[in-house]
């Protein structure tokens, strides 16, 4: 605010990309008059998402993902203090006022996005709680039953993995319930403490929903984030399968014979990959998914994604990209699979779904391709979202109930 310094986010690798960067960004500060930038929080195990100055200009404030949460921090030399004490939440944006009150865009597992405030200077010492300011869904929430998450953890191949189960509503632990493995996108995304309407709808319909952060997820340090680089469908797949096994043991009310899998973008890729590697799932839904990493390269806006994730060009790396393409292993698929895609998706072109659908159809696997006009990389129009959710529920109802 006094014009003396500039705070910014930066990465340092030669090949990095906003499309899906493996490298964790950190906060840097440089004198406005010129000079050398200094990394303030490169020790931090979380991925930094945004940085702003406090209104008095004394410190940069930042949001960073860590173990499913996205709190606000302020870096102090070699340490970071948490400002937001509602730790099990995700903060997507914030603004600091002159009196050091900070406004937050806040969400947690049972609260859709709302505006909260962190009052006064005490918040900077980590001993203040956020207070609701605007809760647009407050009346709706009084009419709904929501299912809080249950955290669990396990170790696989030397990595510590975090996951959550969202149990079915009105749970009777003496009964058995179908379960859905819900895989996040990225690959460097992160499940955690934010509201997910689809997950809650599945829980309300009697499903347990598994959310697991396999290696490659952000929020666990650089080594973990790099865990899937040049290895899509390798260690990340093993982490997910190990997580399913751990959850089945830890939560015996989950039915191992009635399991489904779903995900979007990279989660859609992993869904396609899973059905080519195992038949343990009885139904699958892949949204905005990849099926052929070779043709993906030439039809997507995401060329740098493969440069960063697979260390080069397809013509130099063809065998590896084809080996990790679900389409190569299509003969193994027996799982009924629904594919969902936006017709205007330039990130992952709809031809990726068409290739997978055609191959499944030709091989006699029960499949469906749902195309949404005008939609890009994700379904956004309200009528399409409602339609998509109903199709998800119908597909799992058909095969798991």
């Amino acid at each position: 605010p006094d014009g003396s310094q500039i705070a910014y986010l930066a990465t340092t690798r030669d090949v990095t990309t906003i499309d899906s960067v493996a490298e964790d960004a950190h906060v840097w500060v440089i004198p406005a008059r010129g000079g050398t930038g200094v990394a303030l929080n490169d020790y931090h195990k979380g991925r930094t998402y945004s940085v702003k100055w406090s209104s008095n200009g004394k410190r940069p404030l930042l949001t960073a993902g860590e173990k499913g949460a996205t709190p606000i921090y302020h870096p102090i030399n070699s340490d970071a203090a948490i400002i937001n004490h509602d730790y099990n939440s995700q903060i997507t944006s914030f603004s600091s006022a002159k009196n050091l009150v900070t406004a937050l865009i806040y969400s947690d597992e049972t609260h859709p996005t709302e505006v909260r405030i962190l009052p006064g200077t005490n918040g900077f010492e980590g001993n203040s709680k956020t207070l609701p300011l605007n809760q647009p869904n407050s009346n709706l929430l009084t009419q709904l039953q929501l299912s809080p998450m249950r955290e669990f953890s396990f170790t696989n191949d030397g990595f510590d993995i975090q996951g959550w189960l969202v149990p079915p509503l009105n749970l009777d632990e003496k009964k058995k319930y179908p379960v859905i493995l819900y895989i996040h996108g990225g690959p460097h995304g992160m499940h955690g403490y934010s509201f997910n309407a689809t997950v809650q709808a599945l829980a309300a319909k009697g499903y347990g929903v598994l959310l697991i952060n396999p290696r490659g997820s952000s929020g666990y340090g650089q080594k973990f984030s790099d865990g899937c680089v040049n290895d899509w469908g390798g260690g990340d797949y093993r982490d997910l399968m190990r997580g399913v096994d751990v959850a089945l043991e830890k939560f015996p009310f989950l039915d191992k014979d009635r399991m489904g899998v779903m995900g979007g973008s990279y989660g859609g890729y992993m869904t396609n990959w899973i059905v080519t590697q195992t038949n343990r799932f009885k139904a699958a839904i892949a949204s905005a998914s990849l099926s052929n990493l070779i043709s993906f390269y030439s039809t997507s806006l995401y060329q740098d994604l493969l440069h960063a994730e697979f260390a080069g060009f397809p013509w130099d790396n063809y065998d590896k990209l084809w080996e990790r393409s679900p389409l190569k292993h299509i003969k193994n698929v027996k799982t009924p699979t629904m594919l969902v895609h936006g017709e205007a998706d330039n990130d992952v072109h709809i031809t990726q779904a068409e290739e997978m659908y055609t191959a499944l159809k030709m091989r006699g696997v029960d499949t469906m391709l749902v195309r949404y006009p005008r939609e890009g990389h994700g379904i956004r129009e309200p009528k399409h979202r409602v339609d998509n959710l109903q199709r998800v529920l119908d597909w799992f109802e058909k095969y798991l109930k």
Side-chain angles (χ1 to χ4, degrees), residues 84-110:
N84 171 28
H85 243 211
D86 301 327
Y87 184 81
N88 290 344
S89 63
Q90 293 191 3
I91 308 302
T92 54
S93 183
F94 65 96
S95 178
S96 181
K98 289 183 178 180
N99 59 1
L100 297 183
V101 170
T102 302
L104 315 167
I105 303 297
Y106 173 100
S107 175
D108 64 29
E109 58 191 290
T110 55

Side-chain angles (χ1 to χ4, degrees), residues 8-13 16-18 20-28 39-51 62-65 188 218-219 221-222 225-226:
Y8 59 100
L9 298 183
T11 53
T12 60
R13 294 180 180 177
T16 192
T17 170
I18 62 171
S20 186
V21 56
E23 182 182 1
D24 288 340
H26 294 106
V27 173
W28 294 61
L40 293 187
N41 71 324
D42 56 354
Y43 57 85
H44 194 258
K45 288 188 176 181
R47 173 169 303 202
T48 306
Y49 295 118
S50 61
V51 58
L62 61 99
T63 57
H188 308 290
S218 60
Q222 190 61 65
S225 181
D226 286 335

Side-chain angles (χ1 to χ4, degrees), residues 68 149-156 159-166 179-185 187 189-192 199 209-218 220 224 235-248 251 254 259-262 266-267 270 274 280-281:
M149 302 188 302
R150 300 185 185 184
E151 184 181 356
F152 65 98
S153 61
F154 59 96
T155 300
N156 194 43
F159 288 92
D160 295 325
I161 313 294
Q162 184 181 28
W164 297 266
L165 171 72
V166 181
V179 57
I180 310 297
L181 173 63
Y182 194 136
I183 307 170
H184 67 62
M190 178 183 72
H191 279 312
V199 170
V209 185
L210 283 176
L211 309 173
I212 298 169
N213 284 336
R215 72 191 81 174
S217 304
S218 60
Y220 302 90
F224 196 90
D236 45 8
Y237 168 74
R238 295 194 300 274
D239 291 345
L240 290 169
M241 294 303 99
R242 173 63 179 151
V244 170
D245 292 337
V246 170
L248 290 173
F251 307 108
L254 300 179
M259 297 198 300
V261 58
M262 67 181 297
Y266 175 81
M270 185 55 67
I274 284 173
R280 69 189 303 190
F281 297 92

Side-chain angles (χ1 to χ4, degrees), residues 38-45 73-81:
V38 176
L40 293 187
N41 71 324
D42 56 354
Y43 57 85
H44 194 258
K45 288 188 176 181
Y73 297 86
H74 67 276
I76 306 174
N77 297 324
S78 61
D79 200 2

